[in-house]
Amino acid sequence: MTWLDFSGQGLTSVPSVPPEVTRLDLYRNSISVVPAALWERTGLEVLNLAANRISSLPPGISALTSLHTLDLAHNRFDSLPDELGDLAGLTEYLYVSDNRLTKFPDAWCRLGKLRYLGCTDNRLVSLPSDLSGFSALREFRLYRNELTALPESIGALGALRELHLRGNRLTSLPSSIGSLSELRQLDLRENQLTTLPASLARLSKLDKLDLRWNKQLREPTWLRDFEEAGCMVLR
């Protein structure tokens, strides 16, 4: 791997990138525009554009077929292109946290090999109705958004181990959440939950359930069974 690290250099534009570079780190600069020419570097496997001043991406990013990690967090995006869903090689991480996103594109659900998706600290009000395409996803971080509900298809994420939903506006959970048989951590802090679905009791691998700051929540009797089985339940 050839790593080009320009992090924290005060750059205002993307410098010239040699074709042999496979990892490009432009973290924490003052870049506002991404040139379309960057997508010609099709050997890139890791691209870090986090903590800049970028508000849009030019078309053509789907040419980065080798990319397995993409970090766009801490920028100024109010939308991101559907084209990100065409990055079939994106297997490790997609970070879009701390932007101004209001919509989660349906097209992203084509990222069937992605393991980690960080969408925290945005303005998302809903998720796509069909999340089943995220078949390899292990961590899904959605805390501090404006979600009021989860789709039933959340239960199709059979590989999911961590689901982080702190600081949304959820009043209930779909019963399908009990199908997340690999789930270890479920963070529900700072929502508006009043009940929990009985199907949660089926999550035999759950070792941490965080329910703090749901002031109107009526605790089901099976929570005590969870604790006796070794799950840490935080109230």
Side-chain angles (χ1 to χ4, degrees), residues 36-222:
L38 184 59
W39 310 148
E40 297 173 6
R41 297 297 177 248
T42 55
L44 283 174
E45 297 175 5
V46 176
L47 176 58
N48 187 349
L49 292 167
N52 279 281
R53 301 176 181 176
I54 307 167
S55 59
S56 64
L57 293 177
I61 192 173
S62 58
L64 301 184
T65 55
S66 299
L67 204 66
H68 63 70
T69 297
L70 176 61
D71 194 345
L72 300 171
H74 315 297
N75 275 290
R76 299 178 180 178
F77 295 107
D78 54 26
S79 65
L80 283 166
D82 289 357
E83 196 179 357
L84 293 186
D86 297 326
L87 292 170
L90 211 58
T91 57
E92 298 301 320
Y93 300 95
L94 173 58
Y95 297 97
V96 295
S97 295
D98 189 24
N99 278 288
R100 303 168 183 176
L101 303 177
T102 58
K103 184 180 179 183
F104 189 113
D106 292 3
W108 293 4
C109 298
R110 297 197 296 264
L111 297 172
K113 298 178 182 179
L114 188 66
R115 296 181 183 180
Y116 181 102
L117 180 52
C119 298
T120 73
D121 300 282
N122 277 288
R123 302 170 187 174
L124 300 176
V125 297
S126 64
L127 297 176
S129 59
D130 186 2
L131 296 172
S132 61
F134 287 123
S135 55
L137 203 61
R138 294 189 177 186
E139 288 191 34
F140 200 1
R141 294 182 177 264
L142 288 159
Y143 53 79
R144 289 192 289 272
N145 277 284
E146 299 177 17
L147 300 173
T148 57
L150 301 179
E152 283 287 342
S153 62
I154 194 78
L157 306 185
L160 200 64
R161 296 186 176 189
E162 296 186 22
L163 179 57
H164 298 265
L165 294 162
R166 177 180 184 174
N168 280 279
R169 299 177 182 177
L170 300 173
T171 58
S172 63
L173 300 173
S175 60
S176 64
I177 204 165
S179 299
L180 299 176
S181 57
E182 294 299 317
L183 200 64
R184 271 71 164 179
Q185 295 187 29
L186 179 57
D187 188 351
L188 298 168
R189 284 177 288 175
E190 295 180 62
N191 277 283
Q192 299 170 23
L193 297 170
T194 58
T195 61
L196 296 174
S199 61
L200 271 181
R202 300 201 304 262
L203 299 180
S204 59
K205 294 185 180 179
L206 200 66
D207 55 36
K208 184 178 180 180
L209 175 61
D210 201 334
L211 300 170
R212 289 177 288 176
W213 306 305
N214 283 277
K215 296 179 181 180
Q216 305 301 317
L217 181 63
R218 297 188 297 274
E219 293 187 7
T221 56
W222 48 260

